[in-house]
Amino acid sequence: MEFDNIKSNWKKTGQGKKKQTELLMMTKIKNHPNIKRVRIKLIIETILIIAFLTVYYDGFDGTNKPFWANLFLVGTTAVYIIVRFMGWLVLRNPIKGGNLKKSLISFQHTLKRITISILLTSFLFGSAIISFFTSSIEFTQGKYFVLVGMIISLILLVYLSSRNWFKKIEVIKKTLIEFENISE
């Protein structure tokens, strides 16, 4: 019975052929579901951050905060969005050149740089938010504990993000090792 299924499937091959343009669309990296998720996340983050920036000055008493806190918040927010966009572009176009191995090596180096940039800007963005909201507060012992909790949370989130990014880089390293093993 199984042999009949195999024969039937063999006869069906070639049916439902895809056109060249359909195959190209399927193999484009920008159509990969993970890249689409990153793009959607980037769009949502950007919209929410821009919405926050439009209301922070009036809604969170930006007029009563020091100029440096406002500047730090707006500046790091802009850099945060730009670096995230650059990261998305890198993930969207990982292949550079015709040699897959060289392309992977180049992608690995670029991904390391983008990872460091994203982690640094995430930390600065979180620091800017904490600085903005705590810049005009008179601290008590309880408020210091809350501040320490916010700083620990920021460090923990950046650490977890770094682990996620370095796992992605590790996958590329393993792939490169497999290339080395194949070429021997």
Side-chain angles (χ1 to χ4, degrees):
M1 196 59 131
E2 193 174 312
F3 185 68
D4 290 334
N5 287 338
I6 293 172
K7 282 176 41 178
S8 173
N9 288 336
W10 179 259
K11 288 179 183 177
K12 290 179 185 176
T13 58
Q15 295 175 357
K17 290 183 180 179
K18 302 279 185 197
K19 294 180 183 174
Q20 187 70 17
T21 55
E22 288 178 298
L23 290 173
L24 284 173
M25 287 296 292
M26 290 170 63
T27 58
K28 290 268 186 201
I29 291 176
K30 67 181 180 181
N31 295 326
H32 194 278
N34 289 340
I35 300 299
K36 286 183 180 181
R37 277 193 291 257
V38 170
R39 185 183 75 216
I40 290 169
K41 181 180 179 235
L42 175 69
I43 290 169
I44 291 171
E45 274 184 356
T46 303
I47 289 170
L48 291 175
I49 288 172
I50 290 172
F52 170 74
L53 282 180
T54 58
V55 300
Y56 93 95
Y57 197 73
D58 293 329
F60 297 110
D61 297 328
T63 55
N64 298 334
K65 308 288 182 186
F67 176 73
W68 65 265
N70 284 297
L71 185 64
F72 187 40
L73 180 65
V74 172
T76 56
T77 302
V79 172
Y80 178 84
I81 291 171
I82 290 168
V83 168
R84 293 287 172 154
F85 180 73
M86 288 172 34
W88 174 70
L89 287 177
V90 166
L91 290 175
R92 189 171 171 238
N93 300 311
I95 298 173
K96 306 264 192 278
N99 185 334
L100 186 57
K101 184 178 175 185
K102 287 180 183 177
S103 181
L104 271 175
I105 292 170
S106 172
F107 181 63
Q108 179 185 10
H109 293 301
T110 305
L111 196 59
K112 283 180 183 178
R113 284 193 306 272
I114 287 294
T115 297
I116 291 169
S117 300
I118 285 176
L119 294 175
L120 181 64
T121 56
S122 295
F123 181 77
L124 288 174
F125 179 63
S127 299
I129 290 175
I130 291 171
S131 298
F132 176 79
F133 284 112
T134 60
S135 62
S136 62
I137 292 178
E138 291 185 32
F139 281 95
T140 61
Q141 187 176 5
K143 290 179 183 176
Y144 277 119
F145 282 122
V146 170
L147 177 62
V148 169
M150 289 170 34
I151 292 170
I152 290 172
S153 297
L154 173 63
I155 292 169
L156 180 66
L157 288 172
V158 170
Y159 169 74
L160 291 174
S161 180
S162 70
R163 283 186 50 200
N164 187 25
W165 279 102
F166 288 121
K167 281 181 185 177
K168 292 175 185 177
I169 293 171
E170 194 62 35
V171 168
I172 295 171
K173 283 182 184 178
K174 287 179 183 176
T175 305
L176 286 169
I177 290 170
E178 289 176 12
F179 268 117
E180 292 298 323
N181 293 338
I182 290 172
S183 63
E184 290 178 351

